[in-house]
Amino acid sequence: MTADILMMAQNGDDDDGDFGVKLDVRPKTKRPPLYKVLILNDDYTPMEFVVHVLERFFGMTHAQAFELMLTVHKKGVAVAGVFSHEIAETKVAQVMDFAQRHQHPLQCTMEKE
């Protein structure tokens, strides 16, 4: 506090008699929504190709990729990862492009978590 403010407070010279400290209030920022990247089952894409995609684009170990591929095979769909919108969008595009270039009908989508 400056000396003038202290004098005003001690002498009662402030406008309304109250004395306070101004706080800097920052609005809370929301976390951006996350998106699940889903791998869908089909009857034509080889299981080995799905494992390769999961290793290459989602950084999974062979064992992790194999387990997730089995989940896709048995349940029809599985979450390959959860990302921000831009990253999820990029992953979907990469997988779809890679599958198309290798002439596989593998489908990959994203949905809000």
Side-chain angles (χ1 to χ4, degrees):
M1 284 193 206
T2 64
D4 294 336
I5 294 175
L6 281 176
M7 294 272 298
M8 285 174 40
Q10 290 171 348
N11 296 336
D13 290 341
D14 57 339
D15 294 339
D16 57 2
D18 292 334
F19 192 129
V21 176
K22 180 182 175 195
L23 299 176
D24 230 357
V25 180
R26 293 182 185 167
K28 281 195 172 185
T29 55
K30 289 184 183 177
R31 289 191 176 271
L34 295 176
Y35 291 80
K36 297 184 284 191
V37 175
L38 307 168
I39 302 290
L40 307 176
N41 189 43
D42 65 72
D43 293 333
Y44 303 101
T45 304
M47 293 178 177
E48 297 81 24
F49 184 78
V50 176
V51 169
H52 180 69
V53 164
L54 294 169
E55 290 171 346
R56 179 174 178 156
F57 297 106
F58 297 94
M60 295 182 185
T61 64
H62 185 74
Q64 291 168 327
F66 189 82
E67 283 296 315
L68 194 70
M69 175 275 298
L70 286 178
T71 302
V72 171
H73 182 69
K74 291 176 185 173
K75 295 187 177 182
V77 65
V79 177
V82 179
F83 308 96
S84 68
H85 185 270
E86 292 79 12
I87 292 174
E89 208 171 45
T90 300
K91 298 269 185 199
V92 169
Q94 288 174 326
V95 170
M96 295 295 289
D97 181 58
F98 191 70
Q100 188 176 14
R101 281 190 283 127
H102 289 84
Q103 299 177 349
H104 294 300
L106 181 65
Q107 294 294 300
C108 183
T109 63
M110 61 188 262
E111 67 181 36
K112 204 170 195 176
E113 189 176 44

